[in-house]
């Protein structure tokens, strides 16, 4: 079990550029989640997948954001026409289907995005 | 909607001091409650959890009890160490997403 892996760890981009982040979940986990964390705040839910199906999207996820999980394994989060307000830490988490112990999500180290 | 409120930091304690970080929640249904910890430069790690009323979660000397009557899940540790310095997040799940508090930074000084 290598944990949840996110790449890149840091991304610096200019306003208006597109960026894409990747998340590799724990191998046997069928659920995958994306969160955004700004400085001094807790993570905020963006979206989640069960296998390849995207089942819920937060209203925080504007039209410039798109997430995919094409084969039910890794996922990508793309932000088009980045804005300075997109600067944040983007966290990925994964979990198994609901168990009696509650929905325990395991988090990656995150991708820190800085939009100049 | 669901929400989590936790005490603001930073909290600065001397080594071996007693720690309490308060957390209260608002949720529909019967949420599961969690404490996550984030060490500098690292991702969130699950510290402990409780899935029903009166459950006590514990790990690494930390404890928290699920109090339905007061909708609270306060984190405690009897004797903190320098290595406990981190940001602590109280969280809940009542459906598929986790709702986090804003985090409390703990700084333990020797």
């Amino acid at each position: 079990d290598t944990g949840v892996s996110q790449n890149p760890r840091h991304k610096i981009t200019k306003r208006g550029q597109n960026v894409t982040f990747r998340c590799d979940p724990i191998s046997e986990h069928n659920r995958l989640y994306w969160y955004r964390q700004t400085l001094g705040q807790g993570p905020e839910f963006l979206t989640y997948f069960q296998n390849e199906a995207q089942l819920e999207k937060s209203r925080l996820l504007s039209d410039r954001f798109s997430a995919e999980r094409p084969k039910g394994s890794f996922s990508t989060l793309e932000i088009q026409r980045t804005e300075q307000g997109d600067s944040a830490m983007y966290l990925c988490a994964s979990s198994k289907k609901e168990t009696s112990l509650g929905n325990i999500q395991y988090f990656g180290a995150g991708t820190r995005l800085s939009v100049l | 909607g669901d929400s989590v409120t936790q005490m603001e930091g930073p909290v600065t304690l001397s080594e071996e001091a007693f720690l309490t970080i308060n957390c209260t929640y608002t949720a529909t249904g019967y949420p599961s409650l969690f404490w996550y910890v984030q060490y500098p430069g690292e991702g969130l790690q699950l510290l402990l959890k409780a899935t029903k009323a009166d459950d006590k979660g514990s790990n690494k000397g930390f404890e928290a009890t699920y109090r339905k009557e007061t909708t609270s899940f306060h984190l405690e540790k009897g004797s903190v160490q320098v290595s406990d310095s981190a940001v602590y997040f109280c969280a809940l799940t009542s459906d598929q997403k986790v709702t986090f508090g804003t985090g409390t930074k703990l700084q333990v000084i020797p």
Side-chain angles (χ1 to χ4, degrees):
Chain A
D1 183 354
T2 57
V4 177
S5 176
Q6 292 188 246
N7 289 288
R9 290 293 306 274
H10 304 276
K11 179 70 176 178
I12 300 173
T13 191
K14 292 182 179 179
R15 189 175 51 190
Q17 297 296 304
N18 299 344
V19 294
T20 300
F21 312 139
R22 176 178 170 127
C23 172
D24 289 89
I26 293 171
S27 58
E28 66 266 28
H29 287 183
N30 61 348
R31 290 184 172 165
L32 187 148
Y33 309 79
W34 285 99
Y35 293 83
R36 182 174 69 188
Q37 184 179 17
T38 53
L39 198 62
Q41 300 297 315
E44 296 173 294
F45 171 80
L46 293 178
T47 188
Y48 97 93
F49 293 82
Q50 180 165 307
N51 301 314
E52 66 276 8
Q54 189 172 17
L55 297 186
E56 187 173 346
K57 294 169 63 174
S58 163
R59 61 181 181 275
L60 293 175
L61 213 64
S62 76
D63 291 345
R64 296 184 297 105
F65 287 70
S66 63
E68 295 183 345
R69 196 183 183 197
K71 297 182 179 179
S73 56
F74 73 92
S75 175
T76 57
L77 177 67
E78 180 183 17
I79 308 174
Q80 296 181 326
R81 304 181 302 283
T82 52
E83 302 173 356
Q84 288 185 328
D86 297 331
S87 297
M89 177 76 84
Y90 290 85
L91 297 170
C92 178
S94 70
S95 72
K96 291 182 181 180
K97 193 174 180 181
E98 184 80 355
T99 70
S100 61
L101 297 178
N103 184 17
I104 298 173
Q105 297 183 16
Y106 297 85
F107 284 80
T111 295
R112 182 171 294 285
L113 173 65
S114 297
V115 181
L116 305 179
Chain B
D2 297 345
S3 67
V4 176
T5 302
Q6 59 183 107
M7 63 188 288
E8 290 188 16
V11 174
T12 302
L13 295 174
S14 297
E15 207 165 20
E16 299 183 1
F18 184 85
L19 168 71
T20 300
I21 300 178
N22 291 337
C23 171
T24 57
Y25 67 90
T26 303
T28 54
Y30 301 96
S32 295
L33 302 176
F34 305 84
W35 278 98
Y36 281 85
V37 59
Q38 189 172 35
Y39 298 101
E42 298 184 16
L44 290 163
Q45 299 176 25
L46 178 65
L47 180 60
L48 54 82
K49 63 185 184 295
T51 56
K52 60 182 187 296
D54 300 325
D55 270 1
K56 178 186 284 188
S58 61
N59 186 27
K60 299 180 181 179
F62 290 90
E63 293 183 340
T65 301
Y66 190 143
R67 300 289 189 197
K68 187 178 178 184
E69 64 276 13
T70 54
T71 61
S72 66
F73 193 56
H74 304 320
L75 183 68
E76 296 182 337
K77 186 175 186 181
S79 176
V80 294
Q81 305 300 312
V82 173
S83 58
D84 294 327
S85 298
V87 181
Y88 292 82
F89 292 93
C90 185
L92 66 82
T93 59
S94 59
D95 52 27
Q96 284 310 309
K97 60 183 180 291
V98 181
T99 300
F100 288 89
T102 55
T104 302
K105 184 176 182 178
L106 170 65
Q107 187 172 18
V108 180
I109 54 178

